[in-house]
Structures are given as structure tokens and as C-alpha cells.
Amino acid sequence: VADTIAVLCGGLGGSRLVHALALAAGPDRVSAIGNVGDDIELLGVHISPDLDTVLYTLAELLDESRGWGVSDESFAALRQVELLGGESWFTLGDRDLGLHLVRTERLRRGEPLSAVTADLARALGVGVRILPATDDRLRTYVETDAGELDFQTWFVRRRHADPVRGVRYEGAEACRPAQGVLEVLLEADTVLLAPSNPFVSIGPILAVPGIRESLEARGRVAAVSPLVGGEAIRGPLAGMMETLGHEPSALGVARLYADFADTFVLDVADAPLAGRIEELGLRPVVCETVMVAPGTRREIGRQVLEGVLG
Ligand code: FO1
């Protein structure tokens, strides 16, 4: 019987791992549980940036240079919004907007985000099962010296320039895992935490009551380091580790997950940290993890699976 893999993931880094595993193991063996803490309602539409990055990456439509949105995009609608004095700081492309219109209409009719996401995946020819962590409202807020900011205001509007003093997952206590999430976490042979930001991508998923507990109750939970040589491939994680009081390295990330993970995948560049990671009670797996170029993903997916399932 083939192994099945569940991946907890955020946007870009997470979607690359999910893509790598789908290429290496086959999409029908992979489920992705995605972050909705950075969802935002703007211009009347519901945007789920992380779920969309996963969808677009797997459909091989992602604009890889921006790291979000679709390639071959145009921005006529956004130019009109700007001209008319609407909110235009969040760069919504025309094709991307089409997806948001379809999603928003269905959410307004009362359908759950998980059902809408499953249909969007099917329509885009994506074989991986993509589940939002929750169908309920969960929003990430970031504490900064300028006050508490909603995630996209901090990340996009203010270009994540404000140092992060704390993170809060609004509404998390009242959220339930989306239909299918706990089953996937119970039944998957292995659960992987993607190389995503532990505070604003993985954190909101673990904050949904029942998800963290189900990881603690099972074995075979592995995490892939989002820091390589102390730096994130993209994004503000290294600085956040420091301002939140953690060592900005793969070792620092391993400490965040040590109480419920049993395996930690770190990049070959960080091989010297393997001994320290072992001291935390985690089995270190050292392999290539940088999946920026789509052509590298199948082989990296194979190496991660071999190391983790090993
Ligand atoms: N990120 C940006 O840095 N600037 C943008 O204008 C922007 C627009 C955008 C539109 C749709 C979408 O799905 C994602 C978008 N992102 C943008 C990325 C988004 O902010 C993600 O939440 C972050 O990259 C964190 O994962």
C-alpha cells in the first residue's frame, strides 16, 4: 500500500513542497491543509492568498517571479479601481479576480470554503486534495510598534517593515477544523509541516482546536526547515525569529516543533546543525530543500520522502 502524506502549509514555501511531493509520489497520495489566517475581504471579494498560491502552483499557473497570482496576468480592473479611488494597494490581477468572484459568490450563498476550494482545484485540474484548516473565520494579527495590524496590512501594505512583537490568531478558539481535516491527519501515514513561516503560516493552522492535539496524539510528524543558512528563501521569517526571541536558524525552528514532531528535515547547507537537532529528540534528515526552480522539485520531493519515510 502506498504511503499517504498530509502537509500543513502556508503560501509559497509550502506550495513548493506540496508540488514536489505530488510530483514524486503522485497527487492522489498528497493532501494539503492550508492557512486561512491571511485571508482578506477587499473590494467585495474574499481572497485566500495561501490557498490560491497552492492551487496556482499545482496547476502550474503561478507567477513564479512574484510568488503569488497567475502568470500572463493583466491588471485592467485594478487600474480602474485606482482611477476611481478604490483600494488598490493589494495587487489583484484580472484572472486572479475571476477566481475571487467565483469563490465569493459561493461563500455568500453559504457554501463552506472547503467545498469551494475542492471545486476550484478540480476545475484547475489539480489532483492534490487541498483543504483549508478551517471553514470558520480565523484572522492573523501582528503586534508592531505602530500597533496591531491585520496580516495583509502589515505584510503587503507596509511591506512587512514593522518588526513583529507578537502574533494573534483572531477567532481561532471558536474555529472547528474543516470537514476532512482531522480524518486526513488521523489517516495519513506521515504528516509534514512545510517550510512555511511557523508564526503566520503554520501557527494559525495549529491554533484551530483539535489540529495540534491530533499531531501530538500521532507519531510520524516531520517538519521541513523554512530557514536555510539562517535566511528564509523569501519573506520576513529570519527577522521575526529574532524579534520574537528565537534563534534565527533551522535549530531555532526545530525547537518550535520539538514537542510534537519526531523528524526534522534541514538543508545540506545546515548539515552542521544536525547534532544539535538530534539533542532535541528529533531525527535529523539532511537533504536538498531549495525548490525555487520547478525543475528541481520532483527530485527534492523524492529525497524528502525517502528521508522522512526512511
Ligand atoms: N503580496 C504582495 O507582496 N503584494 C501584493 O500586492 C500581493 C497581492 C496578492 C494578490 C492575490 C494573492 O493571492 C496574493 C497576493 N500577495 C501579494 C501575496 C499575499 O500577500 C500572501 O499572503 C503573502 O505572500 C504571504 O503568504
Side-chain angles (χ1 to χ4, degrees):
V1 180
D3 286 291
T4 55
I5 310 130
V7 187
L8 270 53
C9 67
L12 192 58
S15 68
R16 287 172 172 161
L17 180 68
V18 175
H19 193 204
L21 297 170
L23 291 169
D28 51 324
R29 288 167 60 191
V30 182
S31 298
I33 297 170
N35 170 40
V36 294
D38 58 4
D39 283 20
I40 179 171
E41 289 83 22
L42 263 184
L43 300 168
V45 294
H46 180 115
I47 307 154
S48 296
D50 281 0
L51 296 178
D52 293 347
T53 298
V54 176
L55 276 170
Y56 291 146
T57 298
L58 294 172
E60 301 187 353
L61 289 172
L62 189 84
D63 183 320
E64 294 276 346
S65 58
R66 278 186 289 152
W68 43 270
V70 278
S71 51
D72 297 322
E73 186 57 288
S74 57
F75 297 91
L78 191 73
R79 277 198 298 274
Q80 192 71 358
V81 167
E82 198 172 8
L83 190 78
L84 297 171
E87 291 212 75
S88 58
W89 55 272
F90 200 76
T91 316
L92 293 173
D94 298 331
R95 297 177 74 191
D96 193 28
L97 205 44
L99 182 146
H100 305 318
L101 291 174
V102 171
R103 170 192 292 128
T104 305
E105 184 186 40
R106 292 185 55 180
L107 291 177
R108 275 200 196 128
R109 274 199 233 124
E111 291 187 62
L113 182 62
S114 52
V116 179
T117 305
D119 285 347
L120 293 173
R122 201 169 303 121
L124 291 171
V126 169
V128 168
R129 184 171 184 196
I130 304 174
L131 290 161
T134 181
D135 285 322
D136 301 321
R137 187 184 168 87
L138 187 163
R139 294 290 182 271
T140 299
Y141 282 80
V142 171
E143 184 62 37
T144 73
D145 298 338
E148 198 181 47
L149 306 171
D150 69 84
F151 178 81
Q152 297 297 351
T153 296
W154 169 70
F155 190 93
V156 173
R157 195 165 199 174
R158 297 170 68 97
R159 296 167 201 275
H160 48 76
D162 306 84
V164 175
R165 309 293 176 198
V167 179
R168 185 170 66 87
Y169 312 117
E170 186 173 273
E173 325 72 53
C175 287
R176 290 149 302 166
Q179 179 85 41
V181 167
L182 293 183
E183 289 82 349
V184 163
L185 292 177
L186 194 68
E187 287 163 15
D189 294 295
T190 296
V191 175
L192 272 168
L193 307 195
S196 300
N197 188 308
F199 308 107
V200 295
S201 298
I202 304 296
I205 302 175
L206 296 176
V208 175
I211 294 188
R212 190 187 181 102
E213 293 75 3
S214 78
L215 297 188
E216 285 167 353
R218 56 164 293 145
R220 301 184 73 95
V221 176
V224 181
S225 178
L227 291 178
V228 174
E231 295 291 340
I233 305 300
R234 176 93 71 95
L237 175 59
M240 286 177 80
M241 293 287 287
E242 292 197 81
T243 58
L244 293 171
H246 305 282
E247 182 180 308
S249 71
L251 179 63
V253 175
R255 285 193 188 113
L256 297 173
Y257 297 142
D259 55 340
F260 60 88
D262 40 56
T263 303
F264 193 81
V265 181
L266 61 164
D267 194 83
V268 286
D270 292 318
L273 295 174
R276 305 281 310 280
I277 284 165
E278 207 161 6
E279 285 166 20
L280 297 173
L282 293 164
R283 178 172 66 91
V285 169
V286 178
C287 70
E288 298 283 348
T289 66
V290 180
M291 299 167 279
V292 176
T296 61
R297 290 180 198 160
R298 183 188 305 269
E299 172 56 19
I300 291 176
R302 195 194 62 73
Q303 288 185 26
V304 169
L305 279 179
E306 189 179 85
V308 167
L309 302 174

